[in-house]
Amino acid sequence: MNKTIDINLAGILFHLDETAYRKLRKYLNAVRSSLQHQEDVDEVMNEIEARIAELLGEKQVHPQQVINDKNIDEIIAVLGEPEDYEDVVEEPVSAKNYRIKKGLFRDMDKSVFGGVAAGFAHYLGMDITLMRIVFVLILFFSHSSFGLIYLLLWIVIPKAKTASDKLRMKGEKVNLDSIVDQVSTDEPINKKKNNLGTKLENSTQEFGQVFARIIGLLIAFITGSILLVLIVSVLSLSSMSDMHIFVVNTPFYEGLNMPFGWLNSIAFVLVGFPVALLFLLGVKMLFPNAKSIGKNIFVIGGTIWFLTLVFAIVKSTSLLAHKNESAKIISEQKELSYKTDTLFLSMDKHLLMAKNNFNSNKRIHFYFKASTDDAFHLQVEKESEGIDVPEAKLKAENILYKYQIDSLQPKLVFSNKLLYPNRDFVQEHEVFVNVFVPNNKYIKMTDGVSNHTYKFYCQGDNLLKNVNGKIICEDNANTDEDWQSDENQENEVIRINGKNVNIKITDDGLDLYTDDDSNKRTHIKIDENGIQINAQKTKRSDSVKLLNQKTNNQ
Amino acid sequence: MKMENIKSQMRKGVLEYCILNILDKNDAYTSDILKELKEAKMIVVEGTVYPLLTRLKNAGYLSYRWEESSSGPPRKYYLLTDKGREFLKMMDISWADLVKAVNHISKKNIKANKTQPKL
């Protein structure tokens, strides 16, 4: 049983079996190519088809008879091989060697998008890959405007459709042999296209393919870049031990006691495999004809990925389930020799500089307690967490913290941050600064110390006092105003008993004076030297050192 | 150089002249022309003729008309134009000249061959 194909030659219907049809089509295509340089090719072809119709009509016994390939062979014998059609009068004798005029076509067989680059490569006799690279380079240097030109070329340059188009595109001689070669290589593609049906379907399909390729290119590009970054970072991490690309707040590292490279390897597998899959998908979309990677690689890769995932989940859940222990150590304890009433506390961000150390902005806490004797005491405690208490203690010892005791003034300067020498993301590191205050003595907090106190936050001048074993805010009636800020050194004007009183607070101390002429006014100055009172009544400048006197009565 | 090639070249060269001659007698449709050329052994295969006919027509030496056929597709009848007739006259002359020239040379050679003893 054989399929028959109905054809129409010069307006007459013929039934051809499939082989006969294919042979005839090939023959007519080849003849058309031979006549390439002839004017009015269509007219000549019409005449030839009419003649074929006539000859076939003679062979047909009755109109229902199916024409087979033998009939076609006979007709070709009568008409001659495609080469015989070549018009020798116009073309000189050296017909066999004459140069084919090359045509610029788009090569859809080797296209990535529209086949423009491939077409140009054929036309200029260049390697296709090289031409693509050139195209991509032009695209980059033209800031993508070449994309538009490409679209234009796509529209303007015809697609190489027929076998002879393809031969001309490649600059090959068009004769029956070459055409047969060409057609036989085209066969599968042509067949596919025929099955797909109408031209419209073909073109929409072509558009869809191109769209898929653009998407594929995007996916491949993005995932490819990610992969590259992953690989480069994993490779470089082995040399740079202080870097951590992926894993910031995972509970892995501390608990696993694994080399850090291991952690990155796990992360690499977990992230890399899906990205690689996407990359392959993109490549597949970009080059639909590309060979697929073997199933085994997928199976092996997927298994490794899955095992890694399971490992990671198990490890992290076990770590999370494990309750961390914390431990506190007393790193320093000191009695301060200041005999003053007030101890000044301040902070300095330059005391500890983070270089290679991991800069941990973990908490620093100030606590104020009553001293059991007449001296100020300082105690620094460090607290850390670990899987067990000894580990936590070890870590606490590693915390770096610094402060300075001023030898001239009653002043302690603390670092505003603590450092931890190793990578440590999970556990808390904390420093507790405990200051013990003797009875009836003061703590003055400056430079942000009050930000590190929780219980002892005082509005206003941040002055604390031990009143019979209780640390309380030394409240000043006037401290509701924004008094103590260092930047705001403008004179505050307060009226007391009908007189303006200027109150000036600096780091050095407190300055109160009335709003009179400088030689008439009452002036109270409190600083490190003690309290100076210049009263108008006394008409002389009195300087009294009052160590144990309260300062807030005018 | 192959003998076949030369033969076909020689034939092709005078083919146009033959076609014009056939049409000079009376109008003919393609198959008639082909038939006559084949009988005269001017051509072996038909393919050669089609582009020639079109070219002659385009050059204005031939015109054509369609005629219905009882069997098969409508037939394209070619006829010689006035321009074609003039062209044919010129070709007659050049053909005569060519035959004369070829004869002249070949006869001389035949004579020469006769006088020379065969090796």
Side-chain angles (χ1 to χ4, degrees):
Chain A
M1 198 176 75
N2 238 335
K3 204 167 100 183
T4 64
I5 293 157
D6 289 346
I7 60 162
N8 165 359
L9 283 175
I12 292 171
L13 179 73
F14 291 98
H15 310 289
L16 272 70
D17 71 23
E18 217 177 343
T19 40
Y21 167 75
R22 228 184 270 166
K23 196 169 236 171
L24 183 62
R25 204 188 61 189
K26 237 188 255 184
Y27 177 74
L28 285 173
N29 278 338
V31 169
R32 186 177 272 276
S33 316
S34 288
L35 297 169
Q36 206 73 63
H37 306 286
Q38 182 91 24
E39 38 189 89
D40 291 328
V41 182
D42 289 336
E43 199 183 335
V44 181
M45 289 310 293
N46 284 341
E47 199 147 343
I48 293 165
E49 284 184 11
R51 178 65 178 154
I52 293 171
E54 197 175 47
L55 291 171
L56 284 176
E58 286 167 16
K59 298 212 183 302
Q60 257 179 341
V61 182
H62 61 90
Q64 290 299 310
Q65 188 183 331
V66 174
I67 286 138
N68 56 30
D69 63 327
K70 229 177 124 191
N71 300 134
I72 301 295
D73 283 338
E74 285 161 10
I75 281 166
I76 292 173
V78 173
L79 290 170
E81 293 299 316
E83 292 101 301
D84 293 321
Y85 288 81
E86 276 169 35
D87 195 347
V88 227
V89 186
E90 283 199 337
E91 291 291 332
V93 190
S94 57
K96 291 246 161 180
N97 303 323
Y98 74 84
R99 268 183 69 114
I100 291 285
K101 205 180 149 214
K102 260 192 183 181
L104 182 56
F105 293 94
R106 289 185 290 116
D107 188 349
M108 291 313 290
D109 297 344
K110 285 175 185 154
S111 67
V112 176
F113 296 114
V116 176
F120 269 102
H122 288 309
Y123 193 70
L124 301 173
M126 265 173 80
D127 186 70
I128 292 179
T129 315
L130 201 66
M131 188 49 105
R132 282 190 189 130
I133 293 170
V134 169
F135 265 52
V136 170
L137 285 179
I138 295 174
L139 186 67
F140 270 106
F141 286 113
S142 68
H143 301 284
S144 307
S145 59
F146 181 67
L148 221 68
I149 298 171
Y150 184 94
L151 284 176
L152 210 73
L153 290 173
W154 193 343
I155 295 165
V156 168
I157 300 172
K159 194 161 81 173
K161 271 181 276 188
T162 65
S164 73
D165 282 349
K166 284 170 189 169
L167 289 168
R168 274 183 65 207
M169 175 176 74
K170 292 170 191 164
E172 278 171 29
K173 201 162 75 72
V174 182
N175 59 27
L176 187 60
D177 291 342
S178 62
I179 287 195
V180 167
D181 286 350
Q182 183 64 50
V183 168
S184 58
T185 53
D186 285 351
E187 203 91 54
I189 299 156
N190 286 344
K191 223 177 186 173
K192 201 170 106 198
K193 291 220 165 134
N194 283 339
N195 290 342
L196 286 171
T198 64
K199 249 188 181 174
L200 187 73
E201 274 175 351
N202 268 341
S203 58
T204 47
Q205 215 219 350
E206 190 187 304
F207 185 78
Q209 280 169 354
V210 167
F211 189 70
R213 281 180 173 199
I214 292 171
I215 298 289
L217 183 74
L218 275 176
I219 294 175
F221 182 76
I222 294 167
T223 53
S225 323
I226 295 173
L227 271 185
L228 205 71
V229 168
L230 283 182
I231 290 165
V232 167
S233 57
V234 161
L235 287 180
S236 58
L237 272 169
S238 51
S239 57
M240 285 188 282
S241 56
D242 269 358
M243 296 279 293
H244 11 267
I245 302 287
F246 321 108
V247 205
V248 185
N249 282 310
T250 62
F252 286 166
Y253 177 63
E254 286 287 334
L256 288 175
N257 281 329
M258 287 194 313
F260 199 62
W262 258 96
L263 186 56
N264 274 314
S265 306
I266 288 174
F268 175 72
V269 172
L270 284 181
V271 180
F273 184 72
V275 173
L277 270 186
L278 269 175
F279 178 71
L280 286 177
L281 178 75
V283 169
K284 187 78 189 161
M285 281 169 81
L286 185 56
F287 302 107
N289 297 327
K291 259 189 192 170
S292 298
I293 289 186
K295 244 185 196 168
N296 286 341
I297 291 178
F298 279 109
V299 172
I300 293 168
T303 314
I304 291 172
W305 182 79
F306 184 72
L307 288 177
T308 314
L309 185 69
V310 168
F311 178 73
I313 289 172
V314 167
K315 271 294 172 188
S316 55
T317 47
S318 75
L319 265 175
L320 288 172
H322 190 279
K323 197 178 175 294
N324 282 337
E325 298 286 344
S326 67
K328 200 186 240 180
I329 57 157
I330 297 168
S331 77
E332 252 168 299
Q333 205 153 13
K334 217 164 224 169
E335 183 181 326
L336 301 167
S337 54
Y338 302 121
K339 293 295 173 216
T340 53
D341 260 358
T342 310
L343 178 64
F344 289 87
L345 303 179
S346 78
M347 285 197 128
D348 188 343
K349 61 184 171 189
H350 301 297
L351 266 185
L352 267 179
M353 297 300 284
K355 271 185 192 168
N356 291 324
N357 288 323
F358 183 68
N359 179 3
S360 167
N361 277 318
K362 297 295 160 73
R363 269 159 272 162
I364 297 159
H365 310 274
F366 285 86
Y367 283 91
F368 304 104
K369 295 167 185 174
S371 176
T372 49
D373 53 21
D374 285 345
F376 285 104
H377 290 267
L378 173 69
Q379 186 189 53
V380 177
E381 285 176 307
K382 294 171 178 176
E383 190 184 74
S384 199
E385 293 181 330
I387 280 176
D388 49 22
V389 174
E391 201 198 334
K393 273 189 176 168
L394 194 74
K395 282 184 182 170
E397 276 163 19
N398 282 332
I399 297 171
L400 295 178
Y401 192 66
K402 217 173 161 185
Y403 64 90
Q404 275 178 350
I405 301 172
D406 202 308
S407 54
L408 298 171
Q409 312 165 34
K411 188 177 179 186
L412 301 177
V413 182
F414 295 90
S415 166
N416 75 336
K417 56 182 168 283
L418 59 91
L419 298 183
Y420 193 78
N422 307 322
R423 274 174 243 92
D424 196 276
F425 305 109
V426 194
Q427 284 83 5
E428 293 283 315
H429 303 299
E430 284 173 292
V431 164
F432 298 87
V433 177
N434 300 314
V435 181
F436 296 86
V437 190
N439 198 15
N440 282 329
K441 294 208 173 183
Y442 300 89
I443 291 288
K444 170 75 178 157
M445 299 183 284
T446 60
D447 291 321
V449 172
S450 58
N451 295 335
H452 293 268
T453 62
Y454 171 64
K455 277 159 91 178
F456 305 97
Y457 180 74
C458 294
Q459 252 185 339
D461 59 356
N462 284 317
L463 194 66
L464 296 167
K465 190 188 179 187
N466 179 352
V467 179
N468 298 324
K470 258 191 155 183
I471 310 294
I472 53 158
C473 272
E474 185 63 25
D475 245 325
N476 190 314
N478 301 321
T479 53
D480 282 342
E481 314 278 330
D482 187 15
W483 241 49
Q484 58 87 231
S485 76
D486 296 337
E487 295 84 17
N488 191 8
Q489 291 194 351
E490 293 164 43
N491 295 347
E492 296 276 355
V493 178
I494 296 155
R495 275 181 102 67
I496 298 171
N497 295 335
K499 273 198 163 184
N500 282 346
V501 179
N502 292 299
I503 301 168
K504 197 173 183 180
I505 300 167
T506 62
D507 284 352
D508 297 318
L510 185 70
D511 213 348
L512 303 173
Y513 49 91
T514 51
D515 206 11
D516 298 316
D517 291 337
S518 60
N519 52 354
K520 278 166 76 184
R521 70 188 176 195
T522 307
H523 193 166
I524 300 169
K525 197 173 180 185
I526 305 165
D527 59 14
E528 57 191 316
N529 301 319
I531 305 169
Q532 290 177 7
I533 304 171
N534 296 329
Q536 210 188 356
K537 275 184 184 171
T538 58
K539 300 227 168 163
R540 61 187 177 99
S541 199
D542 237 350
S543 186
V544 187
K545 217 166 196 181
L546 297 161
L547 284 174
N548 290 315
Q549 190 129 352
K550 274 177 84 179
T551 57
N552 62 342
N553 59 338
Q554 207 184 346
Chain B
M1 267 214 182
K2 279 182 191 165
M3 190 59 203
E4 271 307 311
N5 265 348
I6 294 170
K7 257 162 92 178
S8 79
Q9 297 303 333
M10 281 163 90
R11 277 202 205 104
K12 274 179 180 173
V14 290
L15 205 52
E16 284 171 59
Y17 181 52
C18 296
I19 292 169
L20 291 177
N21 259 319
I22 292 167
L23 291 173
D24 192 30
K25 285 176 268 173
N26 41 42
D27 301 350
Y29 90 106
T30 318
S31 295
D32 290 336
I33 303 171
L34 292 166
K35 204 173 146 197
E36 199 157 336
L37 287 171
K38 269 189 200 163
E39 277 170 3
K41 300 217 158 119
M42 260 312 287
I43 55 167
V44 182
V45 290
E46 297 177 1
T48 332
V49 181
Y50 299 105
L52 269 177
L53 282 171
T54 311
R55 195 153 50 76
L56 287 169
K57 187 211 78 190
N58 287 342
Y61 302 131
L62 304 180
S63 65
Y64 65 88
R65 64 170 191 277
W66 289 103
E67 261 180 36
E68 286 298 324
S69 148
S70 53
S71 65
R75 291 169 173 184
K76 201 177 187 179
Y77 271 80
Y78 283 99
L79 47 125
L80 215 57
T81 60
D82 291 343
K83 200 183 168 190
R85 239 171 271 281
E86 236 167 78
F87 184 61
L88 181 59
K89 269 177 203 162
M90 278 157 63
M91 278 187 107
D92 277 337
I93 298 164
S94 48
W95 174 247
D97 287 349
L98 186 66
V99 172
K100 226 201 269 174
V102 174
N103 280 344
H104 181 70
I105 293 164
S106 55
K107 267 174 197 161
K108 216 161 97 186
N109 281 351
I110 292 161
K111 273 179 197 166
N113 280 343
K114 275 178 184 169
T115 50
Q116 271 182 15
K118 272 190 180 173
L119 293 172

